[in-house]
Amino acid sequence: MVQDGLWERIEPLLPVVERCFRYPGRRRIDDRRVLCGIQFVLYTGIAWRHLPQEFGFGSGMSCWRRLRDWNEAGVSQRLHELLRAELRSAGMLHFSRAAVGTSHVRALIRALKGGPATGRSPVDRGKTGSRHHVIVEAHGIPLAVTLTGGNRNDVTQLIPLIQAVPPIHGRCGQLLRRPRRLYADRGYGHDVHRDRVRRLEIISIIARRGTGHGSGLGIHRWGVEGALALLYWFRRLRSRWEIRDDIHQAFVTLGCAIICWRRLKTSL
């Protein structure tokens, strides 16, 4: 079930669909019940066609269409932005530092071979899949997640990932736009990209290639590893099942919003 506090934040963001007066057709399933079905698929990883009808969520196809329409309306993205602003108001969002990280997920259906945002991974025996690129703040709260093919190099997404973080509201005064320091592992260790990070007025602390493990970055990069672990607690995100990359991105953004909501509940 969708918790009351989370539903109070989601409901105003949902697009209003007026029922046709002359040819009304079948009555639409309640949005909250459909959202419960979407969350059930996100948590369990079950296929849409196997969504239990006895739970009253509606058919899997109805939930899929509603997720598609809500994603096109930007519901998940706006919910994530709203929760980030509330976390900042509660003093739980810290931009003193940020960390970036990447994880590869396999594409497990044949129709995805060569599909959008997929590629053969060089670190997973050439298996076709996608990459999740995550940036988190000092305490591991996800700020943005991008999706690319499994063959994309981590460092190519460093600047787009920083730019994917929108200005964060929540307090009077200047909006939060950029962290002060950015931590990353050796996969991002290119001087060209270090210079680009500096031009954004961010101090880059990126491990040099050839340095051994235990260099001290783990003290600050634990947040991004923890955020990836929390994202993969949602079974639907452990593998790439969606042919459409926008549907998978909608699931990822919804998962980030739920993580932010769980953090926010501790201050309420």
Side-chain angles (χ1 to χ4, degrees):
M1 290 296 293
V2 180
Q3 299 179 8
D4 293 338
L6 183 58
W7 175 247
E8 291 173 1
R9 290 162 173 81
I10 295 177
E11 187 177 16
L13 306 177
L14 299 178
V16 178
V17 179
E18 299 291 342
R19 196 179 186 200
C20 181
F21 178 76
R22 188 172 182 181
Y23 302 104
R26 183 180 298 177
R27 185 176 295 275
R28 281 169 59 94
I29 302 175
D30 180 68
D31 284 338
R32 186 167 184 174
R33 291 165 59 188
V34 172
L35 182 59
C36 290
I38 294 172
Q39 281 195 355
F40 188 85
V41 173
L42 176 64
Y43 277 83
T44 64
I46 194 172
W48 291 108
R49 63 180 180 274
H50 296 152
L51 192 65
Q53 295 296 305
E54 58 269 19
F55 290 170
F57 301 148
S59 68
M61 200 62 204
S62 296
C63 294
W64 184 90
R65 291 194 191 100
R66 204 74 62 90
L67 177 63
R68 177 201 60 193
D69 296 341
W70 291 347
N71 181 59
E72 292 175 355
V75 174
S76 299
Q77 184 65 31
R78 286 187 291 161
L79 175 63
H80 193 196
E81 293 177 4
L82 173 65
L83 292 172
R84 285 194 301 253
E86 292 193 29
L87 284 167
R88 187 190 177 193
S89 297
M92 301 180 66
L93 201 66
H94 300 277
F95 259 36
S96 60
R97 65 176 184 271
V100 296
T102 304
S103 181
H104 177 266
V105 293
R106 289 187 181 182
L108 295 183
I109 57 177
R110 183 169 297 179
L112 269 172
K113 309 299 183 182
T118 61
R120 295 173 63 88
S121 172
V123 298
D124 193 18
R125 296 179 294 176
K127 300 292 184 180
T128 303
S130 301
R131 282 181 179 269
H132 295 148
H133 306 268
V134 185
I135 181 170
V136 301
E137 51 83 66
H139 294 160
I141 296 175
L143 301 174
V145 180
T146 59
L147 179 70
T148 64
N151 57 339
R152 295 298 298 273
N153 195 307
D154 296 350
V155 73
T156 62
Q157 298 303 305
L158 180 59
I159 303 302
L161 194 58
I162 296 173
Q163 295 173 342
V165 181
I168 300 176
H169 301 260
R171 285 187 177 180
C172 296
Q174 189 175 5
L175 300 179
L176 289 180
R177 297 179 182 273
R178 298 285 184 266
R180 296 178 185 174
R181 292 183 293 274
L182 182 70
Y183 292 84
D185 59 19
R186 288 181 296 276
Y188 299 88
H190 294 262
D191 291 335
V192 173
H193 295 277
R194 285 191 179 91
D195 293 337
R196 291 179 180 176
V197 172
R198 293 191 191 100
R199 291 172 191 170
L200 296 175
E201 298 181 355
I202 301 174
I203 301 173
S204 62
I205 305 177
I206 304 175
R208 295 281 180 180
R209 294 200 171 195
T211 59
H213 290 280
S215 58
L217 285 177
I219 300 175
H220 303 287
R221 288 195 67 257
W222 63 268
V224 69
E225 303 295 343
L228 287 169
L230 290 175
L231 277 176
Y232 295 144
W233 190 82
F234 303 106
R235 294 191 176 185
R236 190 71 178 191
L237 302 182
R238 297 179 185 176
S239 302
R240 172 79 184 273
W241 292 99
E242 288 73 32
I243 297 177
R244 291 180 51 168
D245 56 336
D246 59 332
I247 299 297
H248 187 77
Q249 181 69 51
F251 269 133
V252 174
T253 307
L254 180 59
C256 291
I258 293 175
I259 293 173
C260 292
W261 165 245
R262 291 172 180 169
R263 291 289 187 93
L264 183 62
K265 283 197 306 179
T266 61
S267 64
L268 299 178

